[in-house]
Amino acid sequence: MIQPTQEVSQAVLDDYRRQFAEAMKLKDELDEIQQAILQTKREIATLHVNNFEGREMTRVTDELDAVVNGTEAATEAILAAAEHIDDAANTLAARTKGQDNALAADIQERVVTIFEACNFQDLTGQRITKVVNALRFIEDRVSRMIEIWGGMESFASVEAETRAKAEGDAALLNGPSLVTDDDIASQDDIDALFA
């Protein structure tokens, strides 16, 4: 027969084992959380290092803004030319008969097609603006996370991955410059080289 003190001791021992098992589960979960935080910090540090301290993300959004502005300007030029062609075709249609009149009407129909096709610019601008806003939202959230963790100084010990350097033709692909770019050769500078 088990003595009452042995029963109490066994109950205490069983309770201790249960609490120890729970503590070990909690430790494992805390270790996973710590690893997730370290991985997140590593990813943020990698973004920061490869983002040239926030300048590249700004560059991306500026490039997309330039796409919207360039598309808008090109569309306005196309529409202005189409309006001029339409006016000329109207004048021609009023002065001609027969096949020439049919040709003027065909030109007018094609101009309407140009007007309709230029609607893409507004939709494209709206979509790109959504992307720009999403990128700016992400950039703001990453900056806030960096602040929460004590600024970039707290990332000094975190080893960031570096982006592979572009080689060959990819290293030459810089695209057109933005208005805000410094020390960029203008088209006049390039033309002067060949003059």
Side-chain angles (χ1 to χ4, degrees):
M1 182 169 159
I2 299 177
Q3 299 296 328
T5 56
Q6 287 179 324
E7 288 177 9
V8 170
S9 296
Q10 186 63 40
V12 169
L13 187 58
D14 289 345
D15 186 48
Y16 173 74
R17 286 182 180 144
R18 184 186 53 75
Q19 288 180 17
F20 184 75
E22 287 178 16
M24 291 307 294
K25 285 181 188 177
L26 182 59
K27 181 195 176 300
D28 290 343
E29 288 178 17
L30 288 173
D31 287 345
E32 286 182 34
I33 290 170
Q34 181 183 19
Q35 287 303 313
I37 290 171
L38 288 174
Q39 181 61 35
T40 302
K41 285 182 109 174
R42 191 174 303 116
E43 293 298 329
I44 290 172
T46 298
L47 275 173
H48 187 73
V49 165
N50 291 307
N51 194 14
F52 310 111
E53 300 176 1
R55 291 186 301 267
E56 190 169 314
M57 184 66 81
T58 301
R59 173 78 183 194
V60 168
T61 56
D62 289 348
E63 290 281 357
L64 289 171
D65 284 339
V67 168
V68 170
N69 293 335
T71 304
E72 185 178 337
T75 302
E76 287 175 9
I78 292 167
L79 290 172
E83 285 175 12
H84 183 74
I85 293 168
D86 190 44
D87 289 344
N90 282 332
T91 302
L92 185 62
R95 293 181 184 174
T96 59
K97 296 193 186 298
Q99 283 184 327
D100 291 339
N101 191 276
L103 181 59
D106 186 46
I107 291 170
Q108 289 173 311
E109 286 178 34
R110 305 290 176 160
V111 167
V112 169
T113 302
I114 292 170
F115 286 140
E116 291 170 351
C118 285
N119 285 330
F120 80 93
Q121 184 275 325
D122 186 46
L123 296 175
T124 301
Q126 290 175 28
R127 287 184 174 133
I128 291 174
T129 298
K130 284 181 182 180
V131 171
V132 168
N133 290 339
L135 289 172
R136 287 186 176 135
F137 177 82
I138 292 167
E139 183 180 19
D140 288 345
R141 297 292 97 43
V142 169
S143 294
R144 285 177 129 178
M145 287 182 0
I146 289 170
E147 288 173 20
I148 288 169
W149 278 317
M152 279 312 295
E153 300 81 35
S154 70
F155 288 79
S157 64
V158 178
E159 187 174 325
E161 296 176 26
T162 55
R163 180 186 302 170
K165 189 171 183 163
E167 296 179 6
D169 288 345
L172 301 174
L173 298 175
N174 296 313
S177 62
L178 295 172
V179 175
T180 57
D181 289 344
D182 293 327
D183 299 325
I184 302 296
S186 69
Q187 187 62 47
D188 291 338
D189 295 334
I190 294 168
D191 292 343
L193 290 172
F194 297 103

